[in-house]
């Protein structure tokens, strides 16, 4: 840096110092009057309870403020703060109406040596609407976490309702009164007080209302529990012509609650018995769980849904080798090939065919029309004994060799 630049810098510093000294002299020695605008000075609402008597509530309640134009010595003006002013609006001093009201404000106190220079009317605008009240049921939104094998038996809230008062439009927004918070590692019965919060249908908090109570007590009762499988119990049989193709439970296990001694005795839970004799198509039904005394289900219902898959049994055919009985052969003729057999086809549903054997079928061949020896082809007759749901569909032919007696 050359000498000319150094001299310029020194001159600038000297000018700044001289300016600062001049400002100090003017401010502290001359102390001239100064005008200043102080913005957003809080206004206190007094006698606000008088609105209740008039059946009004403040809409969109907020911190009301005014701006003041001030004049005073510089040394005083620079020290002014909003907290130095007390400004109030008396809500009981004027006739009020629904909608926008202009309320005059009073400057109760302000700093000495300061003049307020505002010209004309000084007030705040307050919007009022009809004051209404309604009763809201309190719900719990408290997140509760339980220790292992500890389950909730019940929750109760006391009191159950809260009365809330406010402007009509605000009260109409309220959907629920809720308790919020967290309870962690709960392992015994517990009671806690929670603040009541009002929310709309979207879960947004609703403010600017008054309630007759601020808190409610949430009581949590716990019990031991464990998960066990469910066994479906049945009686009767599927009607003839139908077959059970399987079933499906709405849940395969259930969380049961009770004291530890009772729980230790239980390894599964049976349903009440279901009568299978009425099932002729796919169907579903609600079935109660057969709970031992002192045992509860966590969801409180003790009912499961069962879907039965039932189909009509298809007809099948079964071939059976049967002995043939010979009748009415002439006395002067003899049958050379004895111990005749033939195939008999029986048709029906499988469950019925499983019962049919050769002993249930009588096969008879009538040879009364044979008068001389020879070889003959015949189809015998067959009848089914004790086969109500089965029928003979075909009978095989037999070949007989007949000769004259010697």
């Amino acid at each position: 840096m050359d000498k000319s630049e150094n001299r310029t810098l020194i001159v600038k510093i000297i000018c700044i110092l001289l300016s600062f000294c001049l400002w100090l002299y003017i401010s502290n020695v001359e102390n001239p009057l100064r005008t200043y605008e102080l913005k957003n000075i809080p206004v206190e609402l007094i006698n606000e309870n008088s609105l209740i008597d008039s059946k009004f509530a403040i809409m969109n309640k907020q911190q009301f403020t005014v701006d003041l134009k001030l004049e005073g010595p510089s040394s005083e003006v620079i020290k002014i703060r909003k907290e130095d002013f007390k400004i109030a609006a008396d809500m009981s001093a004027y006739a009020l109406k629904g909608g926008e009201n202009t309320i005059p404000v009073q400057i109760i106190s302000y700093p000495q040596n300061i003049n307020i220079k505002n010209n004309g009317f000084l007030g705040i605008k307050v919007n009022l609407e009809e004051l209404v009240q309604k009763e809201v049921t309190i719900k719990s939104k408290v997140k509760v976490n339980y220790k292992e094998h500890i389950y909730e038996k019940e929750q109760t809230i006391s009191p159950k309702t809260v009365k809330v008062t406010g402007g009509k439009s605000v009260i109409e927004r309220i959907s629920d009164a809720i308790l919020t918070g967290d309870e962690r590692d709960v392992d015994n019965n517990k009671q806690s007080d929670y603040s009541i919060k009002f929310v709309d249908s979207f879960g947004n908090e609703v403010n600017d209302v008054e309630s007759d109570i601020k808190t409610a007590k949430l009581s949590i009762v716990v019990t031991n529990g464990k998960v066990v499988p469910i066994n479906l119990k049945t009686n009767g049989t599927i009607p003839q012509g139908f077959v059970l193709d399987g079933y499906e439970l709405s849940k395969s296990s259930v969380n049961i609650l009770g004291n530890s001694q009772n729980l230790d005795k239980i390894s599964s839970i049976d349903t009440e018995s279901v009568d299978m004799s009425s099932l002729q198509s796919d169907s579903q039904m609600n079935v109660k769980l057969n709970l031992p005394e002192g045992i509860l289900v966590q969801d409180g219902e003790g009912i499961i849904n069962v879907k039965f898959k039932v189909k009509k049994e298809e007809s099948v055919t079964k071939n059976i080798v049967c002995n043939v009985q010979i009748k009415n052969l002439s006395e002067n003729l003899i049958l050379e090939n004895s111990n005749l057999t033939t195939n008999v086809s029986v048709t029906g549903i499988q469950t019925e065919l499983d019962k049919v054997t050769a002993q249930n079928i009588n096969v008879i061949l009538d040879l009364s029309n044979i008068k001389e020896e020879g070889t003959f082809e015949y189809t015998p007759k067959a009848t089914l004994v004790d086969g109500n749901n089965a029928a003979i569909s075909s009978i095989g032919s037999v070949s007989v060799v007949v000769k004259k007696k010697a």
Side-chain angles (χ1 to χ4, degrees):
M1 181 180 294
D2 59 26
K3 292 182 179 181
S4 62
E5 290 178 344
N6 284 334
R7 286 195 296 271
T8 303
L9 180 59
I10 291 171
V11 171
K12 290 181 177 179
I13 293 173
I14 292 172
C15 290
I16 292 172
L17 290 173
L18 289 173
S19 298
F20 180 69
C21 292
L22 180 61
W23 177 80
L24 286 176
Y25 173 79
I26 293 172
S27 298
N28 293 283
V29 178
E30 295 295 331
N31 199 17
L33 289 178
R34 179 182 173 188
T35 300
Y36 177 68
E37 185 175 24
L38 186 61
K39 292 182 175 293
N40 300 321
I41 304 172
V43 176
E44 178 186 356
L45 301 184
I46 61 176
N47 295 319
E48 191 174 347
N49 288 338
S50 65
L51 293 176
I52 298 176
D53 298 331
S54 302
K55 304 298 183 184
F56 284 123
I58 298 176
M59 297 174 58
N60 303 319
K61 193 170 183 180
Q62 57 186 306
Q63 176 61 70
F64 295 97
T65 63
V66 293
D67 300 335
L68 293 181
K69 294 179 181 178
L70 309 174
E71 183 183 70
S74 294
S75 59
E76 296 296 329
V77 169
I78 62 174
K79 295 187 294 184
I80 291 174
R81 300 174 305 160
K82 295 178 183 179
E83 294 80 4
D84 298 329
F85 295 81
K86 183 175 182 180
I87 303 177
D90 189 348
M91 303 303 294
S92 66
Y94 304 95
L96 303 175
K97 66 181 189 306
E100 185 176 271
N101 293 260
T102 302
I103 310 296
V105 300
Q106 298 174 331
I107 302 174
I108 297 174
S109 64
Y110 56 94
Q112 294 181 351
N113 302 323
I114 294 295
N115 295 319
I116 297 174
K117 303 293 288 184
N118 287 69
N119 295 321
F121 177 80
L122 188 62
I124 57 174
K125 294 185 182 300
V126 180
N127 285 315
L128 302 178
E129 67 176 341
E130 180 186 356
L131 183 72
V132 297
Q133 183 184 81
K134 77 173 180 179
E135 191 172 53
V136 186
T137 300
I138 304 173
K139 300 178 181 178
S140 174
K141 295 294 183 179
V142 176
K143 297 178 181 178
V144 184
N145 173 264
Y146 300 94
K147 284 190 175 180
E148 189 176 6
H149 303 307
I150 299 295
Y151 298 90
E152 177 185 304
K153 188 175 182 181
E154 66 175 352
Q155 283 191 14
T156 57
I157 298 173
S158 179
K160 295 181 179 180
T161 61
V162 56
K163 290 181 180 178
V164 59
T165 305
K168 183 178 180 180
S169 63
V170 179
I171 296 299
E172 287 177 346
R173 284 179 54 211
I174 294 175
S175 174
D176 293 302
I178 62 172
L179 308 179
T180 59
D182 292 280
E183 291 287 352
R184 297 186 178 276
D185 296 328
V186 175
D187 60 358
N188 52 34
N189 296 344
K190 189 175 183 66
Q191 286 187 344
S192 299
D193 289 321
Y194 289 91
S195 297
I196 300 171
K197 184 168 70 172
F198 301 98
V199 296
D200 61 18
S201 58
F202 300 102
N204 301 314
E205 188 170 0
V206 179
N207 298 307
D208 298 336
V209 295
E210 295 293 333
S211 58
D212 61 340
I213 55 173
K214 302 300 181 184
T215 63
K217 188 181 298 295
L218 174 65
S219 299
I220 301 172
V221 179
V222 299
T223 186
N224 295 322
K226 72 176 183 179
V227 178
V228 294
I230 296 174
N231 296 324
L232 177 66
K233 291 294 184 179
T234 63
N235 64 73
T237 57
I238 298 289
Q240 288 185 344
F242 298 90
V243 62
L244 180 64
D245 197 31
Y247 62 85
E248 179 182 336
L249 305 181
S250 58
K251 54 184 177 182
S252 60
S253 61
V254 62
N255 197 353
I256 57 175
L257 310 176
N259 63 52
S260 56
Q261 290 181 342
N262 288 339
L263 291 175
D264 290 341
K265 301 174 185 177
I266 300 172
S267 58
S268 63
I269 291 292
D270 294 335
T271 68
E272 292 187 347
S273 189
V274 176
D275 184 6
M276 306 295 284
S277 63
S278 61
L279 300 179
Q280 295 186 0
S281 61
D282 288 352
S283 59
Q284 57 179 309
M285 63 181 70
N286 291 326
V287 182
K288 289 184 178 180
L289 299 179
N290 193 10
L291 298 173
E293 186 176 354
I295 297 298
L296 301 174
V297 177
Q298 185 183 12
D299 60 18
E301 293 187 10
I303 296 175
I304 64 168
N305 183 267
V306 186
K307 294 180 180 179
F308 292 98
K309 298 178 181 179
V310 178
K311 64 180 181 181
K312 197 168 185 178
E313 199 167 9
E314 296 180 358
S315 294
V316 293
T317 299
K318 179 180 181 180
N319 293 320
I320 301 175
V321 177
C322 300
N323 294 323
V324 179
Q325 302 177 44
I326 302 300
K327 289 188 176 181
N328 300 320
L329 180 63
S330 175
E331 293 181 354
N332 64 337
L333 297 175
I334 61 172
L335 186 66
E336 194 167 79
N337 54 337
S338 59
N339 300 322
L340 294 175
T341 61
T342 188
N343 284 324
V344 177
S345 295
V346 182
T347 301
I349 60 177
Q350 188 64 54
T351 52
E352 289 301 313
L353 291 186
D354 290 341
K355 304 174 186 177
V356 178
T357 66
Q359 284 71 33
N360 299 106
I361 303 174
N362 291 328
V363 181
I364 298 175
L365 178 60
D366 187 350
L367 298 180
S368 60
N369 61 338
I370 297 178
K371 304 300 182 182
E372 58 185 28
E373 62 182 10
T375 301
F376 304 92
E377 192 82 15
Y378 288 104
T379 299
K381 292 182 178 180
T383 57
L384 188 61
V385 179
D386 296 330
N388 294 332
N389 291 289
I392 295 173
S393 54
S394 66
I395 306 169
S397 61
V398 295
S399 177
V400 294
V401 178
V402 178
K403 287 190 176 182
K404 290 183 179 180
K405 289 182 179 179

